[in-house]
Amino acid sequence: MKKFILKFFLLVITLFFGVLLGMQQANEGLLQMKGFDDKTFGGAFHLKKTEAGEVEAAVLGQEITAHDIEEKQKKLEEMKAFHFLSNLGSRLGDMLSIIFQQLTNLVVSSLDKALS
């Protein structure tokens, strides 16, 4: 049994390192397929600091400013302001919860009286 466990763990460790090596080789192959070494294509999200001390962000090559974020925040607040179906569903869910709670209390109390 000890030999089996030892062989099993050695096999698992060997396969794990093989997977890591394969991932590294795939990464190098993808970089070679591009045909050039451009660091701007390295990631999807980039942060850089300007000389004025401000931080600029880019996601998939598009610049993001604080103004864009504020506009999106306002749109989200407007969307949350009025959702008729969402409010209706929430109220219906609350009402059903209360009904099933009362129904459960009624069944439990009737069973308690019947068993006593």
Side-chain angles (χ1 to χ4, degrees), residues 16-80:
F16 177 72
F17 283 117
V19 168
L20 291 178
L21 181 66
M23 290 171 64
Q24 181 64 29
Q25 290 295 324
N27 184 31
E28 290 176 7
L30 287 172
L31 290 175
Q32 288 177 356
M33 278 179 43
K34 279 196 311 189
F36 55 91
D37 190 22
D38 190 0
K39 299 297 181 195
T40 59
F41 292 124
F45 186 74
H46 299 284
L47 290 175
K48 61 182 175 180
K49 202 169 202 177
T50 61
E51 294 175 3
E54 297 176 353
V55 177
E56 294 180 355
V59 176
L60 297 175
Q62 294 182 351
E63 295 282 330
I64 295 179
T65 62
H67 181 67
D68 293 338
I69 294 173
E70 290 172 1
E71 286 179 12
K72 289 180 183 179
Q73 181 67 29
K74 287 179 185 177
K75 286 182 184 177
L76 283 174
E77 288 174 0
E78 290 173 3
M79 288 173 57
K80 288 182 181 178

Side-chain angles (χ1 to χ4, degrees), residues 8-9 12 17 27 29-30 39-40 48 58 80 82 92 100 107 110 114:
F8 177 76
F9 282 121
V12 167
F17 283 117
N27 184 31
L30 287 172
K39 299 297 181 195
T40 59
K48 61 182 175 180
K80 288 182 181 178
F82 183 73
L92 181 64
F100 280 109
V107 169
S110 64

